[in-house]
């Protein structure tokens, strides 16, 4: 049996826009509903959602039934020994594409590359697991490195200051701009639409694209999503399952009960 090809990584290399949805409900049931919608990728959030390795695994198994949608998983952290352990576990359960938050320097990015690769390119531990179908992919140890897609998040002013070096790091396939944390870092808490933040995001997308890497971002604002795509962003998340549920349940309730709580105005989360 052949080691599966990472089609999402191929699409990024071919500069094909990939439209995604953020999943934070941590439920295989809701994940299957979203997997049937036809998004190019689905982000399983291990940072801000109540996911653990077992719940990520269950959702990977569900998404596998919808091969047109690629599963990406975000680890809660990627730095240090704990981060390395989590990256190893996520890869072993079959995650091909990782999103790692709070990457501020090229040295951190390089360490994440090493954590996600088998020797001699990295330090990932060898072991039979779901990723290799417990040895049924006989060439997995030799082919896995090429199929791992590493996306790092730049979401602070420090990261933007080091963005050119981060994007130039060999083994980093894409850089994801985190609007919420970036706006906070820039002194505009909960206001990613601030002109200074938007100016910084647009400049960041340009820097990433010039480095030959894929630029990504999340926004529930359709006009902004299309703007980022026009600027060259390749992987763009255009919604969140939690946000969709909040907005539509609030709208339905208020259509019958004017006293119902209004839907949040926040367009980031």
């Amino acid at each position: 049996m052949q080691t599966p090809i990472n089609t999402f990584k191929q699409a990024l290399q071919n500069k094909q826009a990939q439209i995604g949805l953020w999943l934070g409900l941590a439920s295989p049931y809701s994940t299957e509903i979203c997997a049937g919608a036809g998004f190019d990728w689905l982000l399983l959030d291990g940072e801000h959602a109540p996911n653990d390795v077992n719940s990520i695994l269950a959702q990977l198994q569900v998404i596998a039934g919808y091969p047109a949608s690629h599963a990406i998983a975000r680890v809660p952290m990627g730095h240090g020994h704990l981060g390395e352990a989590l990256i190893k576990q996520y890869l072993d359960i079959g995650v091909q594409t990782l999103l790692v938050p709070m990457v501020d320097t090229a040295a951190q990015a390089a360490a994440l590359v090493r954590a996600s690769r088998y020797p001699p390119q990295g330090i990932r531990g060898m072991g039979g697991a779901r990723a290799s179908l417990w040895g049924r992919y006989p060439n997995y140890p030799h082919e896995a490195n090429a199929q791992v897609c590493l996306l790092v998040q730049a979401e602070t002013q420090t990261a933007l200051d080091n963005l050119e070096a981060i994007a130039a790091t060999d083994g980093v396939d894409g850089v994801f701009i985190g609007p919420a944390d970036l706006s906070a870092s820039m002194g505009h808490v909960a206001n990613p639409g601030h002109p200074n933040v938007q100016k910084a995001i647009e400049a960041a997308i340009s820097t990433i694209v010039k480095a030959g890497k894929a630029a990504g971002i999340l926004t529930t604002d359709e006009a902004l999503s299309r703007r980022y795509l026009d600027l060259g962003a390749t992987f763009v998340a255009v919604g969140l399952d939690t946000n969709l549920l909040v907005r539509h349940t609030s709208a339905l309730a208020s259509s019958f009960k004017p006293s119902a709580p209004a839907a949040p105005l926040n367009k980031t989360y």
Side-chain angles (χ1 to χ4, degrees):
M1 299 175 71
Q2 182 181 352
T3 303
I5 300 297
N6 188 331
T7 55
F8 176 82
K9 183 173 182 175
Q10 284 187 330
L12 295 190
Q13 291 172 339
N14 294 332
K15 296 180 170 50
Q16 297 171 344
Q18 301 292 288
I19 305 302
L21 182 71
W22 217 259
L23 303 184
L25 289 173
S27 163
Y29 198 77
S30 59
T31 291
E32 184 158 19
I33 293 172
C34 296
F39 290 97
D40 296 311
W41 56 280
L42 300 168
L43 188 285
L44 305 175
D45 190 5
E47 183 185 16
H48 291 300
N51 274 308
D52 59 17
V53 175
N54 279 316
S55 66
I56 294 286
L57 169 59
Q59 292 171 85
L60 288 175
Q61 291 169 325
V62 165
I63 296 172
Y66 300 84
S69 292
H70 181 78
I72 301 174
R74 175 162 74 168
V75 294
M77 66 178 298
H79 307 306
H81 295 310
L82 177 57
E84 291 170 359
L86 288 168
I87 286 172
K88 176 165 56 178
Q89 286 187 302
Y90 275 46
L91 293 174
D92 282 352
I93 62 172
V95 175
Q96 283 188 309
T97 301
L98 291 166
L99 180 64
V100 182
M102 291 294 179
V103 178
D104 284 337
T105 68
Q108 290 175 343
L112 294 170
V113 173
R114 291 192 295 273
S116 63
R117 264 64 171 185
Y118 284 133
Q121 290 86 3
I123 59 171
R124 178 184 173 188
M126 306 293 294
R130 180 175 181 267
S132 66
L133 279 191
W134 299 273
R136 291 185 175 120
Y137 296 141
N139 293 321
Y140 183 83
H142 305 286
E143 297 172 345
N145 286 358
Q147 302 310 322
V148 170
C149 180
L150 178 63
L151 310 172
V152 300
Q153 289 190 232
E155 41 193 342
T156 65
Q157 183 60 57
T158 301
L160 294 191
D161 293 341
N162 294 316
L163 187 57
E164 189 172 346
I166 292 171
T169 303
D170 188 30
V172 168
D173 297 288
V175 181
F176 182 93
I177 306 301
D181 283 298
L182 178 59
S183 64
S185 174
M186 294 179 67
H188 305 290
V189 176
N191 186 17
H194 190 281
N196 290 347
V197 179
Q198 286 302 309
K199 182 179 178 180
I201 289 173
E202 294 192 5
I205 291 173
S206 176
T207 297
I208 297 163
V209 172
K210 285 180 181 178
K213 301 297 175 68
I217 198 163
L218 160 68
T219 179
T220 60
D221 186 315
E222 182 178 349
L224 270 182
S225 295
R226 297 188 184 281
R227 169 67 175 160
Y228 297 146
L229 287 165
D230 289 342
L231 289 171
T234 314
F235 61 107
V236 177
V238 296
L240 308 90
D241 58 355
T242 51
N243 181 277
L244 290 168
L245 191 60
V246 167
R247 286 194 290 113
H248 289 284
T249 53
S250 294
L252 181 60
S254 63
S255 69
F256 289 92
K257 292 173 59 64
S259 61
L265 297 176
N266 191 316
K267 290 189 175 183
T268 304
Y269 287 105

